[in-house]
Amino acid sequence: MKLKRIPLIFLSLLLVLMPVFVSATDEITVEFDRVSERVLVVKSGKVYTDQIVALASKKGMVMIDTGIAPTLTEKYRKVIEREFGRNDFVYVINTHYHWDHTNGNQIFPEAVIISHETSPDRMRQFDQGRPNSVAQRRARITQWKNQLKGLEPDSERAQRIRDAIDSSEITCDDLENNYILTLPTLTFNDRLTLDMGDLTFNLLYFGEGLHTGDDIIIHCPEEKLLFTGDLFYKGSMSIAFSSQFDAPRWMSVMNEVLKDEDAVEWVYDCHNGRMSGEFISLWRDYLVELWNDLSAASEEGLDLVTVQDRFSYENKYSFISKSGIDPEQLKREHQNNVKYVWYRIKELQSAATVIGQVIAESGMDAALKKYAEIKDAPVEKYYFDEVEMNRLGYQLINQNKLKEAIEIFKMNVELYPETWNVYDSLGEGYMLLGEKELAIKYYEKSLEINPDNTNGVAMLERLKSEKEEL
Ligand SMILES: [Zn+2]
């Protein structure tokens, strides 16, 4: 809906009736949500949301994150100034370094920008690789446009893709023509408190392993709000995605924020609207219980198979269904959580991480030797994980290291020959390398195991039609 064509009288009526008001000036629609007298959420995108928050304190305006594109953030700033009737931006807080949270920093040049102490370096690194990121994102846009052709236009997936295309096109244009690297100038390691008179902002470093490693959370007790960047998502109870995470720190940070029962009413992330305080408390309770149970099991000398059975979703953890998430998804997430928390407690090293480091430092030959060595190593030292190995392969593809990626996918085929996805990934690797025969061979193998692999079907069709054209 574009309101610019609606007569002013209806517009003022809408302002009274609707909590969300639309003020688009072009194809991207900017919306806002007045959470309270002092808090305004401004965003665009219906499904894939770009969202920033403005808080009006006695001592000035405080911004949480600045969005994906300066052109959009300029529009957000106008809405904020109009709604509050002021423009005294004192602080901008970046929840982490990612471009979709910091690209709009330049729109608040008068403000002091705050982040974790490692964020400026990460942002500088992103800036150095900016042309590459833009090229990759533009390639992604082309892929999305192709995907859209096969989708029902009104489906949520199609809407999400259209949102992503719109914001990505603006972002790429901005990153090429309208972007000034604007780094945080006030950084902290552990915690920082801003006393803004009527509002307090408690900034806490969250710790390694859940999203980027420089994530902070911001608690505003007077408004009972918690801002968590990309750390949490209301559609998931995932705790860990590898064994490298700082659970003890997460627990102490969350216990501190949630120590009073009504300390947090709403939790704002940057893409998915808001979560309830109960959801985040449930996540914390789940983590604490899992950590304590598995620590005790480790002391007892149990093995992973026994642990997985004793602490299964059905036996002990079905209480996480209070999150409202589909139980089948919760079971899957719980299985992964148990596995990674166990590896973490046993202090096992991730083979994928070690091999990835060797590739970066010494190249593929050394990595192949390391792989053989790890395979023969005692089980209490390393662990192999299909998902982590697959992720490493795709990281290498992103770094344009196709041959290395294929070696990793081959290892995964050797390690997990029963799994369809390892063949799908190897097929993709060969496809990107231009080895069509091999790509077809592995996509076919993947489909043999899982005929429902729709990506595999689509890729095979494409490869075969390209072959006929040759
Ligand atoms: Zn992020």
Side-chain angles (χ1 to χ4, degrees):
M1 182 163 63
K2 292 179 192 169
L3 282 189
K4 61 179 178 175
R5 293 196 201 103
I6 297 179
L8 209 64
I9 181 150
F10 291 119
L11 204 77
S12 28
L13 201 67
L14 272 171
L15 258 173
V16 178
L17 295 176
M18 285 170 56
V20 172
F21 163 63
V22 187
S23 75
T25 48
D26 56 32
E27 65 277 8
I28 291 251
T29 306
V30 176
E31 298 186 348
F32 68 81
D33 191 358
R34 190 69 178 251
V35 178
S36 75
E37 207 179 308
R38 295 181 289 203
V39 184
L40 184 75
V41 176
V42 189
K43 57 195 171 180
S44 66
K46 285 200 164 44
V47 186
Y48 175 84
T49 312
D50 181 46
Q51 176 174 293
I52 68 174
V53 184
L55 296 104
S57 79
K58 278 188 179 151
K59 293 189 188 168
M61 302 283 295
V62 177
M63 298 297 308
I64 314 280
D65 281 334
T66 59
I68 196 167
T71 300
L72 288 173
T73 306
E74 221 174 327
K75 291 177 201 271
Y76 304 159
R77 178 174 172 141
K78 284 191 184 125
V79 172
I80 294 163
E81 288 183 4
R82 189 192 63 218
E83 281 306 297
F84 285 117
R86 56 195 276 196
N87 63 357
D88 54 334
F89 295 96
V90 184
Y91 291 114
V92 163
I93 304 170
N94 289 150
T95 56
H96 61 293
Y97 80 100
H98 275 164
W99 66 345
D100 52 334
H101 299 256
T102 57
N103 275 358
N105 280 0
Q106 70 194 60
I107 301 303
F108 303 95
E110 69 273 56
V112 172
I113 301 174
I114 307 174
S115 74
H116 184 250
E117 64 179 7
T118 60
S119 305
D121 262 354
R122 293 168 194 254
M123 287 170 68
R124 243 181 243 117
Q125 254 176 34
F126 167 77
D127 190 54
Q128 279 159 12
R130 186 149 48 103
N132 232 346
S133 306
V134 171
Q136 272 176 17
R137 186 48 67 124
R138 290 219 190 269
R140 214 50 229 278
I141 292 172
T142 311
Q143 281 174 359
W144 281 329
K145 284 183 174 168
N146 285 334
Q147 274 176 29
L148 263 186
K149 288 176 197 157
L151 290 173
E152 193 61 46
D154 292 334
S155 64
E156 190 184 312
R157 174 110 186 95
Q159 181 65 61
R160 182 176 281 273
I161 290 177
R162 273 198 300 276
D163 279 355
I165 291 173
D166 287 347
S167 66
S168 294
E169 278 178 339
I170 293 184
T171 306
C172 288
D173 291 347
D174 272 1
L175 285 173
E176 279 167 347
N177 308 308
N178 177 29
Y179 174 80
I180 307 157
L181 175 65
T182 310
L183 296 173
T185 50
L186 176 59
T187 65
F188 67 97
N189 170 23
D190 179 46
R191 62 184 58 226
L192 182 78
T193 298
L194 300 177
D195 175 1
M196 302 299 290
D198 55 338
L199 290 180
T200 317
F201 294 83
N202 293 315
L203 284 63
L204 293 155
Y205 173 51
F206 192 72
E208 292 278 344
L210 193 55
H211 185 52
T212 59
D214 69 329
D215 308 273
I216 63 170
I217 62 172
I218 302 128
H219 184 217
C220 180
E222 293 85 357
E223 290 286 340
K224 298 186 197 301
L225 295 178
L226 183 67
F227 301 96
T228 55
D230 284 348
L231 285 167
F232 304 101
Y233 167 49
K234 65 184 166 189
S236 166
M237 289 294 280
S238 282
I239 287 176
F241 303 94
S242 79
S243 62
Q244 282 161 339
F245 59 100
D246 194 352
R249 177 159 186 113
W250 299 356
M251 289 189 280
S252 89
V253 165
M254 293 194 91
N255 285 339
E256 182 176 336
V257 170
L258 300 168
K259 66 178 181 293
D260 298 324
E261 204 163 298
D262 62 344
V264 176
E265 193 180 352
W266 292 110
V267 182
Y268 279 86
D269 72 2
C270 294
H271 307 296
N272 302 288
R274 62 185 186 179
M275 292 159 269
S276 66
E278 285 89 31
F279 176 84
I280 222 73
S281 298
L282 181 67
W283 193 96
R284 186 266 318 256
D285 295 346
Y286 173 47
L287 168 66
V288 171
E289 199 148 331
L290 193 57
W291 185 264
N292 290 341
D293 277 347
L294 268 54
S295 299
S298 172
E299 302 259 306
E300 218 184 295
L302 302 184
D303 63 16
L304 179 57
V305 177
T306 314
V307 165
Q308 278 168 327
D309 182 50
R310 189 183 291 182
F311 301 107
S312 68
Y313 176 82
E314 289 84 354
N315 278 347
K316 173 95 201 274
Y317 283 91
S318 57
F319 71 90
I320 58 174
S321 63
K322 276 188 267 177
S323 60
I325 297 166
D326 168 45
E328 288 308 312
Q329 181 192 327
L330 285 177
K331 279 179 210 168
R332 279 195 306 274
E333 289 181 352
H334 178 68
Q335 269 177 2
N336 279 327
N337 291 335
V338 169
K339 186 177 70 178
Y340 291 127
V341 170
W342 182 253
Y343 293 150
R344 168 69 178 76
I345 286 170
K346 300 304 278 183
E347 293 183 0
L348 298 183
Q349 271 188 290
S350 154
T353 306
V354 173
I355 291 169
Q357 279 163 356
V358 175
I359 293 176
E361 284 158 18
S362 319
M364 199 62 223
D365 286 345
L368 285 168
K369 273 189 205 132
K370 193 78 198 173
Y371 169 67
E373 189 189 310
I374 293 175
K375 270 185 73 184
D376 291 337
V379 282
E380 61 270 17
K381 195 150 182 234
Y382 296 100
Y383 71 92
F384 275 107
D385 185 70
E386 184 202 327
V387 178
E388 286 186 31
M389 290 292 281
N390 199 51
R391 201 185 300 146
L392 171 62
Y394 281 98
Q395 279 164 4
L396 291 163
I397 286 179
N398 284 337
Q399 294 162 21
N400 244 334
K401 294 182 174 169
L402 280 181
K403 288 194 172 140
E404 288 87 341
I406 285 171
E407 290 302 327
I408 298 298
F409 293 143
K410 277 196 208 158
M411 291 172 194
N412 234 6
V413 163
E414 187 180 77
L415 292 162
Y416 307 98
E418 312 293 319
T419 325
W420 65 270
N421 194 43
V422 295
Y423 298 100
D424 184 273
S425 299
L426 185 55
E428 186 171 348
Y430 278 125
M431 185 179 75
L432 292 169
L433 199 65
E435 297 270 6
K436 286 190 184 158
E437 297 288 337
L438 286 166
I440 290 171
K441 177 180 161 188
Y442 288 109
Y443 275 125
E444 276 176 346
K445 178 75 188 168
S446 166
L447 282 169
E448 214 178 283
I449 302 173
N450 175 18
D452 295 332
N453 172 15
T454 47
N455 174 59
V457 174
M459 289 304 155
L460 257 183
E461 273 174 17
R462 204 176 111 189
L463 282 161
K464 286 184 172 167
S465 70
E466 281 174 11
K467 249 185 82 183
E468 277 158 22
E469 281 166 23
L470 287 173

